[in-house]
Amino acid sequence: MPTSRMSEPPEPIAGTASADHPERLGIARMLRAPGYRRLLAVRFATQWGDGLFQAALGGAVLFNPERQADPLAVATGLAVLLLPYSVIGPFAGALLDRWDRRRVLVFANLLRAVLIVVVAASVFTGLAGAPLYVGALAVAGVSRFVLSGFSVSLPHVVERRHLVEGNVLAVTIGSAVSALGAASAIGFRALFGSGDAGSAQTTLVAIVGSLLAAALAMGFRRGSLGPDKVDEPAEAVTAVLRGFADGARATAATPSISASFAALGSHRLAFGICTLLTLLLYRYAFTDQGPLRAGLPGIGEAVVLAAAGLGVAALVAPWLVRRWGRAWTVRAALVAATVMQLTLAALLSLWAVVVAAFVLGLTGQTVKLCTDAAVQSEADDEVLGRVFALYDVVFNVGYVIAVAAAAFLAPPDGRAPWLLAAAAALYVVGLLVHDQQLRRRRA
């Protein structure tokens, strides 16, 4: 495996560690690397704006008194926000393996700011359906380049043996920052109003994150984030078309990565079902219970609990990986998620939903952190972007498929305990495939 060039090498430490049992460096020492700090800031600014944009647009469609939403409308909105991550993923992966990644981070964020203004104008004028969704698709598509650029740049600012810790801070806090952006959207919505005009103003605030991220990315030296070399055809179109196949071959050739993808895919399928049902329950079935709220404020509470689960994963996942290894950490997370889904199916109450938000945030993030580390530590740098393209498909297409299926099968108020039980079964399938792939590695 080629060694990546480091733009800002972190302080070396004594000792060795395997990819499955990494040694601990510590957050304080990780943050001493200027390149890592700056890359974190780019990601956090981007994800805050992304969380705010998605929540603002979701509120404009689902909780806008001037509009009505049924399960299919909710599913369509979620698909619009997430499918571009996978439709554009193969293209982003191939291009990030041939373009200066620093330039991608700068210009993609600037373009995203312009597109957010267009979407906000569409919401303000009352556009619905395809015209609104096209703008949202464009914003989400550009966001894919930004987040893919971060993922493939990380090995250039963090030593590979410390990628688990690097991902813990980046992915976990980044997800929490995205949740903070969503919570901010709820606050701005209360300030500006819940109609089309207020939703448009809330959506427009998301440009702050994109502009800040672009300004921070300009601080990197040209070429410092890779790629170190280009292992692709000279023609860009050929490289793009071949990118997805290259990523699939590289993944299939590395059983530890394919096992991680199986586990993550099962989580995203189950989580998609749970998300659709939760939105419908908060919108049509639940009523306030003590400190817990129904409607959009209640969704904000669930988001906060999920973010807390992400924060706990930042503490638990590295500790488990150092002691058990990635494989057993993933197994434990899948088993815990299975039990939580069955409990939720049995109780189906407001309290059960907020507890599930925390537990599924914790277990899902643990699986994701282990998958990130597997890809970044075991895939060669010259194909890293293309492997992450396949990662996008596993992460987002599975989620959208599950949301769409649940929209057709769920009752209008979201009360479908049998669908939640089916989500638990998906975790079991993921566990079985994960183990089968790891046996292939040993063989």
Side-chain angles (χ1 to χ4, degrees):
M1 182 181 297
T3 302
S4 299
R5 183 175 66 248
M6 312 285 284
S7 63
E8 297 286 353
E11 179 181 345
I13 63 176
T16 60
S18 69
D20 285 341
H21 292 78
E23 59 184 84
R24 180 175 173 77
L25 182 62
I27 292 177
R29 295 178 69 187
M30 292 276 296
L31 292 175
R32 291 177 188 171
Y36 181 60
R37 288 201 306 269
R38 182 173 291 273
L39 198 60
L40 280 183
V42 172
R43 177 173 186 136
F44 293 166
T46 299
Q47 290 194 268
W48 179 85
D50 200 37
L52 192 151
F53 176 81
Q54 292 189 17
L57 196 61
V61 173
L62 181 59
F63 292 97
N64 188 339
E66 299 176 19
R67 307 173 191 233
Q68 293 295 325
D70 57 21
L72 287 178
V74 176
T76 301
L78 289 172
V80 164
L81 291 172
L82 292 174
L83 267 183
Y85 284 75
S86 296
V87 173
I88 294 181
F91 298 85
L95 294 174
L96 285 166
D97 286 337
R98 62 187 295 118
W99 287 353
D100 179 10
R101 293 162 185 168
R102 175 242 187 212
R103 184 174 298 176
V104 169
L105 292 176
V106 172
F107 287 102
N109 270 300
L110 292 176
L111 176 59
R112 188 171 174 274
V114 173
L115 292 172
I116 288 172
V117 174
V118 174
V119 172
S122 300
V123 173
F124 181 79
T125 57
L127 287 179
L132 179 61
Y133 291 149
V134 167
L137 281 166
V139 173
V142 175
S143 296
R144 177 64 270 154
F145 274 92
V146 176
L147 294 180
S148 288
F150 175 88
S151 295
V152 298
S153 299
L154 188 61
H156 290 261
V157 297
V158 174
E159 291 184 16
R160 286 180 180 262
R161 58 181 175 168
H162 301 310
L163 282 172
V164 170
E165 282 186 277
N167 275 309
V168 164
L169 194 59
V171 177
T172 303
I173 299 182
S175 297
V177 169
S178 181
L180 178 62
S184 300
I186 296 174
F188 284 118
R189 183 180 173 84
L191 176 64
F192 296 137
S194 58
D196 287 339
S199 296
Q201 290 175 284
T202 301
T203 302
L204 189 61
V205 177
I207 67 171
V208 174
S210 295
L211 295 176
L212 178 59
L216 290 166
M218 290 179 185
F220 285 107
R221 291 183 289 105
R222 181 175 299 178
S224 63
L225 301 178
D228 295 335
K229 61 180 180 179
V230 176
D231 180 26
E232 294 188 349
E235 293 295 328
V237 173
T238 303
V240 167
L241 295 177
R242 204 181 76 178
F244 186 78
D246 288 346
R249 282 192 293 269
T251 298
T254 313
S256 59
I257 296 179
S258 58
S260 298
F261 278 16
L264 184 64
S266 69
H267 165 69
R268 293 297 288 177
L269 286 168
F271 192 66
I273 294 172
C274 193
T275 298
L276 189 280
L277 295 179
T278 297
L279 289 173
L280 294 176
L281 287 167
Y282 273 104
R283 178 69 171 85
Y284 298 110
F286 287 157
T287 56
D288 295 349
Q289 294 183 18
L292 301 183
R293 295 289 179 265
L296 190 58
I299 290 178
E301 291 176 337
V303 167
V304 170
L305 265 294
L310 303 181
V312 174
L315 302 175
V316 172
W319 184 85
L320 291 176
V321 169
R322 286 195 301 274
R323 285 156 178 77
W324 295 353
R326 282 203 306 261
W328 279 105
T329 299
V330 169
R331 291 184 183 107
L334 292 177
V335 169
T338 301
V339 173
M340 186 67 254
Q341 285 281 14
L342 290 174
T343 303
L344 180 59
L347 300 179
L348 204 60
S349 65
L350 193 56
W351 285 97
V353 168
V354 295
V355 172
F358 174 81
V359 174
L360 296 180
L362 167 62
T363 55
Q365 188 73 349
T366 298
V367 173
K368 186 179 187 305
L369 289 170
C370 291
T371 303
D372 288 346
V375 173
Q376 291 169 330
S377 63
E378 299 182 31
D380 292 340
D381 183 68
E382 60 268 24
V383 295
L384 191 56
R386 284 162 283 178
V387 173
F388 268 105
L390 184 62
Y391 190 138
D392 291 335
V393 172
V394 172
F395 195 78
N396 294 304
V397 169
Y399 179 86
V400 171
I401 289 173
V403 167
F408 281 103
L409 297 173
D413 65 355
R415 292 190 179 276
W418 68 273
L419 274 177
L420 294 172
L426 289 171
Y427 280 117
V428 175
V429 172
L431 179 61
L432 294 175
V433 177
H434 175 268
D435 286 350
Q436 184 274 330
Q437 289 297 303
L438 291 182
R439 285 197 298 273
R440 180 167 70 92
R441 179 187 186 183
R442 288 193 294 270

